[in-house]
């Protein structure tokens, strides 16, 4: 229905569709009083309908005509708002700052299924209930029971069984475990001695996993930090805690939340990886019991919905999880803690491309609470903010155990070519058999996996029943397949990247789009047989280490081994119980893990990230090495770290070897200042993509020129366009990609240009897309 209405009876609705802004709808008489900001509504959209969230009552001020014909809301879906005013204000800020549709932001902020396709199909998540039998009449004497039950002995048995277990039980328990039929239970209801009701069930996979927390004696340095945090009284204060690995940052978090709880408030704890969640949850649940809720994508839709609802109802007061947990609907927020705040996984890779650290800071400002950022290797943006006084800086310079930081030795791979396992020939029968009657491709010429120095160190540690961690930030068996005759390299059909060989699956795999192919038997270009697999991944490291140390118990932790729901937890628990001697994996084992029996960490190849065409490459390499090195020597035995590299003189590596964060930061910041990279400028990466390359080039050229003209005609200062150029990965998921950068001295100017660009040129059509990534973490 279309109504002619004034702004007094209209509302603005945000819908999860790829357009900026909101849509105005009339509120029909039947719904007046039931519509408020933050509530979900069903609205007509084109010839169909959609589910959206009411952004505000009345029209936006930028709408010119205050009297207009509007379509009416179809129905109100909730008795109360699903998102409160604070989170709604935060969502508006994200939509404005990151130039994203408000409806898409709200879909991200709410549990899966409350907005978008499932909600529109009537399949939004709901509470789970179970039927419960409860005693409703007291039969204290034998006479009363005989009078009520007579010869219905089975009903009497059911009644007395129910009494024995507390007067209440589920129907399922009584029928399946105790063996009473539904007819018996119906008889009890008919006699008026019990009643049936529906009881809400919390789908909490972490329920009951509360362990006793070992007594923690805070060091003087930790107490000093906590007292300093307690003195901060400004609404929205931001503090940076730089603490070396093993310095007890988590104990500070726990004590801070203890004080927040004592004040009747709640908290949010962000962790960068799902793999960190089980260990983090255990520590916080040991302190705060069942008040802790976990939010992350590894849970089922129902589990996430129940955790969200428990936080919204106030039954749980601490939310823990990766990036999306920053939207947890906790009541009376007292603190937001961002652990390992430097991690790039806090940045969302698709729309809305928000950074959880920035969102946490803004939410703290809106809610008037403290935001604490913690890391041994802070992001240079955070470090510069702390150094300039915009953040409060606290530091923990020593480990709580009294042990010093582990010694780090850089092992020059150039001096170790062909040593150790490098000359080792395949020894298993499967290495010489021809698969399916064909010639098996070669698996490279001598792979440099373990230097003699690292091999000796592993042997020594294992012989003393100590544990070892090996790190390589590259999964699979071999990095690429190549022809030894003509040099042809097998690449993805849809992306401009090489295919990675996964030996156990016997597949070539693209790690970007998921494309798979059988390993080649001969060269596609010249016909030469026996292509060679080159490069090293975690799967190959696992095999080589197993050959060298056949008695050791090895676990591999990467994306290929952690696909199941509890895989992270099970692997880490096995390692904690010392059922595994050697843990190897990618970056998911590099941070946040605390295993006192780990005395050696080996980095298989520290150069993997150094050659990435990105201005953050050195920073990420330093952070990753310092973090993984911090896993060693956290107990009573001193730790040792061996870093294999072909660039032992690179300042990122030498700084990590010296545990010199401040020295590294000083040099890296100096290197970024003149070319104008963050934190000295604001940056946005604009990517144009499409199925055909020429239209993409033309649109990127045209859009960059249009933006330059805009800057010139509006006489905007301190902002420039760099590019366009092909993206480092110029074809991804079958789409060609070109990009250009916007560099600006001021955030406001950059935001204005991006918003105007999105409104005027953000939807070029013809299958082309324009993606705006503000404050990008990577330029690939």
């Amino acid at each position: 229905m279309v109504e002619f209405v004034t702004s007094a009876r209209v509302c603005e609705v945000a819908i999860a569709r790829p357009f900026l802004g909101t849509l105005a709808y009339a509120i029909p008489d039947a719904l007046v009083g039931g519509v408020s900001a933050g509530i979900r509504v069903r609205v007509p959209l084109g010839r169909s309908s959609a589910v959206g969230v009411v952004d505000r009552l009345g029209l936006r001020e930028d709408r010119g005509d205050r009297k207009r014909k509007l379509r009416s809301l179809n129905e109100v879906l909730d008795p109360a708002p699903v998102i409160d005013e604070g989170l709604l204000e935060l969502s508006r800020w994200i939509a404005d700052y990151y130039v994203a549709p408000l409806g898409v932001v709200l879909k991200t902020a709410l549990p899966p299924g409350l907005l978008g396709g499932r909600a529109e199909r009537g399949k939004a998540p709901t509470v789970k209930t179970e039927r419960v039998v409860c005693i409703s009449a007291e039969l204290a004497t034998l006479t009363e029971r005989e009078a009520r039950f007579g010869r219905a002995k089975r009903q009497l048995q059911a009644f007395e069984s129910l009494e024995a277990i507390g007067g209440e039980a589920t129907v399922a328990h009584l029928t399946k475990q105790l063996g009473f039929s539904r007819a018996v239970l119906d008889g009890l209801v008919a006699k008026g001695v019990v009643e049936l009701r529906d009881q809400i069930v919390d789908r909490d996979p972490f329920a009951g996993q509360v362990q006793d927390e070992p007594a923690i004696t805070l060091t003087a340095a930790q107490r000093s930090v906590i007292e300093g945090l307690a003195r901060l009284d400004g609404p929205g204060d931001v503090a940076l805690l730089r603490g070396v690995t093993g310095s007890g940052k988590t104990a500070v978090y726990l004590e801070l939340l203890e004080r927040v709880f004592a004040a009747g408030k709640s908290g949010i704890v962000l962790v960068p990886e799902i793999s960190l969640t089980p260990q983090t949850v255990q520590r916080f649940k040991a302190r705060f019991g069942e008040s802790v809720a976990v939010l992350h994508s590894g849970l089922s839709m129902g589990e996430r919905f129940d955790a969200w609802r428990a936080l919204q109802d106030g039954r749980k007061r601490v939310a823990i999880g990766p990036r999306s947990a920053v939207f947890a609907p906790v009541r009376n927020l007292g603190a937001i803690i961002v652990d390992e705040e430097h991690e790039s996984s806090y940045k969302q890779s698709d729309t809305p491309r928000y950074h959880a650290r920035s969102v946490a800071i803004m939410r703290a400002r809106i809610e008037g609470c403290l935001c604490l950022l913690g890391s041994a290797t802070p992001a240079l943006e955070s470090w510069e903010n702390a150094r300039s006084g915009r953040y409060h800086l606290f530091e923990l310079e020593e480990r709580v155990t009294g042990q010093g930081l582990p010694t780090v030795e850089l092992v020059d791979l150039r001096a170790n070519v062909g040593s150790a396992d490098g000359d080792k020939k395949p020894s298993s029968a499967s290495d010489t058999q021809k698969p399916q009657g064909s010639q098996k491709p070669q698996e490279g010429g001598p792979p440099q996996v373990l230097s003699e120095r690292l091999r000796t160190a592993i042997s020594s540690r294992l012989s003393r029943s100590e544990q070892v961690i090996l790190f390589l930030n590259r999964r699979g068996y071999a990095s690429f397949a190549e022809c030894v005759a003509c040099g042809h390299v097998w690449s993805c059909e849809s992306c401009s990247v090489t295919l990675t060989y996964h030996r156990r699956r016997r597949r070539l795999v693209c790690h970007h789009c998921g494309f798979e192919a059988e390993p080649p038997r001969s060269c596609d270009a010249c016909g030469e047989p026996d292509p060679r697999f080159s490069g090293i991944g975690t799967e190959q490291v696992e095999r080589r280490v197993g050959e060298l140390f056949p008695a050791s118990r090895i676990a591999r932790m990467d994306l290929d081994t952690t696909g199941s729901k509890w895989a992270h937890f099970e692997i880490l628990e096995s390692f904690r119980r010392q059922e595994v001697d050697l843990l190897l994996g990618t970056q998911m084992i590099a941070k946040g893990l605390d295993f006192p029996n780990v005395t050696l960490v080996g980095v298989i190849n520290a150069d993997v990230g150094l050659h990435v065409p990105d201005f953050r490459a050195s920073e990420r390499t330093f952070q990753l090495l310092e973090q993984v090195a911090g896993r060693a020597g956290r107990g009573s035995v001193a730790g040792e770290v061996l870093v294999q590299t072909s660039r032992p003189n690179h300042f990122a590596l030498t700084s990590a070897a010296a545990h010199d964060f401040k020295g590294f930061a000083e040099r890296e910041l100096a290197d970024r200042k003149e070319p104008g990279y963050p934190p000295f400028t604001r940056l946005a990466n604009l990517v144009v993509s499409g199925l055909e390359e020429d239209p993409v080039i033309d649109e990127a050229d045209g859009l960059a020129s249009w933006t330059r003209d805009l800057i010139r005609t509006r006489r905007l200062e301190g902002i420039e366009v760099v590019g366009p150029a092909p993206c480092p990965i110029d074809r991804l998921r079958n789409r060609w990609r070109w990009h250009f950068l916007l560099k600006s001295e001021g955030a406001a100017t950059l935001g204005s240009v991006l918003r105007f660009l999105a409104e005027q040129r953000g939807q070029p059509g013809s299958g082309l897309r324009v993606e705006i990534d503000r404050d990008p973490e990577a330029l690939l």
Side-chain angles (χ1 to χ4, degrees):
M1 183 176 69
V2 177
E3 293 188 41
F4 187 77
V5 296
T6 64
S7 61
R9 284 187 49 206
V10 303
C11 62
E12 297 280 353
V13 178
I15 301 171
R17 296 291 192 276
F19 58 81
L20 300 178
T22 54
L23 299 177
Y25 288 91
I27 303 174
D29 292 339
L31 300 182
V32 170
V35 178
S36 60
I39 211 160
R40 289 185 310 147
V41 292
R42 187 177 295 278
V43 298
L45 185 67
R47 296 183 179 180
S48 185
S49 67
V51 173
V53 173
V54 175
D55 175 42
R56 67 191 74 201
L57 299 181
L59 290 173
R60 293 199 322 257
E61 292 184 1
D62 60 345
R63 293 195 189 275
D65 186 7
R66 313 306 289 178
K67 290 187 177 182
R68 54 193 301 173
K69 290 184 177 180
L70 297 174
R71 302 177 78 179
S72 296
L73 302 177
N74 290 343
E75 62 176 316
V76 174
L77 299 179
D78 307 298
V82 294
I83 191 164
D84 64 26
E85 183 54 41
L87 279 172
L88 194 53
E89 183 181 349
L90 180 69
S91 298
R92 294 187 193 114
W93 176 83
I94 293 172
D96 182 67
Y97 185 84
Y98 292 102
V99 196
L102 177 58
V104 177
V105 175
L106 290 168
K107 182 181 178 182
T108 302
L110 291 170
L114 286 190
L115 281 185
R118 289 187 63 91
E120 290 161 12
R121 295 192 300 272
K123 295 183 178 180
T126 58
V127 297
K128 180 181 179 181
T129 61
E130 60 184 1
R131 295 289 275 172
V132 176
V133 182
C134 305
I135 290 178
S136 58
E138 183 178 352
L139 304 177
T141 67
L142 184 60
T143 303
E144 289 177 308
R145 298 188 182 207
E146 289 179 347
R148 187 67 62 97
F149 292 109
R151 294 193 296 178
K153 302 300 184 184
R154 193 64 175 155
Q155 291 181 13
L156 176 60
Q157 291 173 357
F159 182 83
E160 292 178 341
S161 296
L162 196 57
E163 277 186 320
I165 56 178
E168 181 178 307
T170 65
V171 170
H173 179 74
L174 291 171
T175 56
K176 295 178 181 179
Q177 269 72 47
L178 300 186
F180 296 107
S181 68
R182 285 302 303 262
V184 169
L185 301 184
D186 291 341
L188 293 178
V189 174
K191 286 181 168 61
V193 295
V194 302
E195 61 183 13
L196 295 175
R197 58 181 175 82
D198 288 326
Q199 177 176 278
I200 294 176
V201 178
D202 271 336
R203 291 160 287 193
D204 182 0
F206 295 94
Q209 294 184 14
V210 179
Q211 301 177 359
D212 293 334
E213 182 187 16
I216 297 176
T217 302
L218 298 175
T219 65
Q222 288 172 319
R223 288 195 299 271
S224 176
V225 169
I226 292 164
E227 294 305 322
L229 292 171
R231 287 193 293 270
L232 301 180
D233 56 3
D237 273 328
V238 182
L240 174 64
L241 173 58
R242 187 189 77 82
V244 300
T245 56
S247 60
K249 295 184 291 294
T250 302
V252 172
Y253 304 156
L254 290 165
E255 186 62 28
L256 172 63
L257 280 186
E258 190 78 65
R259 298 188 179 203
V260 167
F261 257 51
K265 297 184 177 182
S266 305
I268 295 174
V269 182
L270 300 184
V271 292
E273 298 275 3
I274 290 176
S275 63
L276 295 182
T277 302
Q279 198 171 41
T280 305
V281 169
Q282 287 175 359
R283 295 210 52 186
F284 281 84
K285 290 199 81 165
R287 179 71 68 96
F288 303 110
E290 296 300 336
S291 295
V292 175
V294 181
L295 298 167
H296 69 68
S297 59
L299 303 179
S300 70
M301 184 180 296
E303 289 167 346
R304 293 173 72 179
F305 177 72
D306 285 358
W308 172 83
R309 191 171 52 85
L311 290 164
Q312 190 181 54
D313 294 344
R315 289 180 286 117
K316 293 184 184 290
R317 294 171 55 193
V318 177
I320 298 179
R323 183 175 59 231
S324 61
V326 73
F327 299 108
V330 297
R331 290 184 173 184
N332 199 12
L333 188 58
I336 305 176
I337 297 167
V338 185
D339 189 29
E340 309 290 6
E341 62 86 33
H342 65 279
E343 272 296 316
S344 61
S345 61
Y346 282 127
K347 186 74 158 73
Q348 175 104 336
S349 60
D350 52 10
T351 304
R353 293 176 172 83
Y354 70 94
H355 198 299
R357 181 182 62 224
S358 301
V359 173
I361 291 169
M362 179 53 64
R363 185 171 183 187
R365 187 177 303 170
I366 291 171
E367 305 268 5
C369 70
L370 171 68
C371 181
L372 175 60
L373 313 177
S375 176
T377 55
L380 293 184
E381 289 88 341
S382 300
W383 182 247
E384 181 65 14
N385 280 328
R387 200 170 64 164
S388 64
R390 286 188 287 270
Y391 297 171
H392 302 276
L393 177 63
F394 299 91
E395 297 186 86
L396 295 171
E397 298 283 9
E398 296 180 353
R399 287 187 156 183
V400 292
T401 61
Q403 283 279 2
L405 290 168
T407 60
V408 180
E409 178 183 339
L410 301 179
V411 180
D412 192 344
L413 289 177
R414 297 170 300 178
N416 285 276
V417 173
S419 65
D421 63 297
D423 294 325
K424 189 174 180 65
K425 301 298 182 182
S427 58
S428 64
S430 61
D431 293 330
T432 58
Q433 292 175 350
K434 299 179 181 180
Q436 300 177 352
S438 65
Q439 178 63 45
K440 185 181 186 296
Q442 302 175 32
E443 292 182 357
Q448 181 64 341
V449 178
L450 300 182
S451 63
E452 184 65 35
R453 177 73 180 88
L454 181 53
R455 177 180 175 179
T456 302
I458 293 173
S459 179
S460 174
R461 300 293 178 168
L462 294 179
S463 69
R464 299 200 295 266
S465 298
E466 297 167 6
Q467 290 174 294
V468 176
I469 287 179
L470 295 181
F471 167 75
L472 176 63
N473 205 23
R474 181 181 285 159
R475 63 190 177 99
Y477 188 87
S479 306
F480 57 93
E482 64 176 342
C483 175
V484 295
C486 71
H488 172 72
V489 175
W490 276 258
S491 299
C492 177
E493 293 181 352
S494 302
C495 309
S496 55
V497 296
T498 59
L499 295 172
T500 300
Y501 177 47
H502 288 250
R503 185 172 183 270
R504 286 186 180 176
R505 295 163 55 191
R506 291 210 49 76
R507 305 291 286 174
L508 291 174
V509 180
C510 175
H511 288 170
H512 292 273
C513 73
F515 169 79
E516 294 188 11
E518 290 209 6
R521 302 172 184 176
S522 61
C523 179
D524 298 339
C526 70
E528 182 74 14
D530 304 341
R532 177 175 62 195
F533 294 138
S534 300
I536 300 170
T538 49
E539 188 182 353
Q540 185 173 169
V541 175
E542 180 184 31
R543 177 187 168 210
R544 301 296 184 193
V545 171
E547 292 173 343
L548 290 169
F549 306 101
S552 63
R553 298 164 297 177
I554 302 170
R556 174 163 58 95
M557 192 167 174
D558 56 25
L559 208 57
D560 298 320
T561 63
T562 55
S564 63
K565 184 173 183 177
W566 294 102
H568 298 90
F569 177 78
E570 290 166 356
I571 293 173
L572 295 177
E573 275 297 287
S574 295
F575 196 59
R576 183 186 65 81
R577 294 192 298 264
Q578 299 184 29
E579 297 167 356
V580 169
D581 304 312
L582 193 150
L583 176 66
L584 68 94
T586 54
Q587 63 179 346
M588 61 178 63
I589 67 167
K591 48 201 170 285
L593 305 179
D594 188 355
F595 299 109
N597 197 43
V598 173
T599 58
L600 174 67
V601 168
V603 178
I604 302 300
N605 190 341
D607 307 337
V608 170
L610 279 177
H611 307 301
V612 175
D614 192 287
F615 72 95
R616 298 186 196 272
S618 293
E619 180 184 9
R620 287 209 190 92
T621 298
F622 171 83
Q623 290 169 336
L624 204 50
L625 291 179
E626 183 66 12
Q627 290 287 336
V628 73
R631 302 316 105 205
R634 297 170 79 95
S636 58
V637 179
E640 180 183 22
V641 182
L642 299 179
V643 179
Q644 298 185 154
T645 175
S646 296
R647 302 190 65 186
N649 297 319
H650 193 285
F651 79 97
L653 274 61
T654 57
S655 298
H659 302 292
D660 184 12
F661 168 77
K662 293 181 180 178
F664 169 80
E666 183 176 353
R667 174 164 174 177
E668 181 69 8
L669 288 170
D671 288 348
R672 290 190 193 179
K673 192 163 190 176
E674 185 176 343
Y677 281 108
F680 302 107
T681 59
R682 300 290 185 138
L683 195 65
N685 186 29
L686 290 94
V687 179
V688 178
S689 67
L691 297 177
E692 301 292 334
E693 186 174 19
D694 288 343
V696 169
I697 296 173
D698 292 342
E699 180 64 23
D701 281 334
L703 189 56
S705 297
W706 181 89
T707 307
R708 286 192 177 94
D709 291 342
L710 174 68
I711 292 170
R712 185 181 64 254
T713 56
R714 299 293 177 92
R715 297 180 180 178
L716 301 176
E717 296 182 354
I719 185 169
E720 64 171 328
V721 176
V722 180
C727 292
I729 301 178
D730 63 356
R731 190 161 175 258
L732 195 62
R733 299 179 182 88
N734 222 28
R735 299 184 68 85
W736 293 95
R737 306 166 71 243
W738 276 57
H739 70 150
F740 64 92
L741 301 180
L742 272 175
K743 290 183 176 182
S744 177
E745 295 175 2
T749 302
L750 179 62
S752 298
V753 171
L754 290 175
R755 284 186 288 275
F756 189 70
L757 182 150
E759 292 166 358
Q760 301 297 317
R761 300 286 299 267
Q763 295 182 334
S766 301
L768 298 175
R769 297 177 192 159
V770 176
E771 299 170 359
I772 298 174
D773 187 5
R774 188 170 184 177
D775 302 336
E777 278 291 308
L779 301 178
L780 298 179

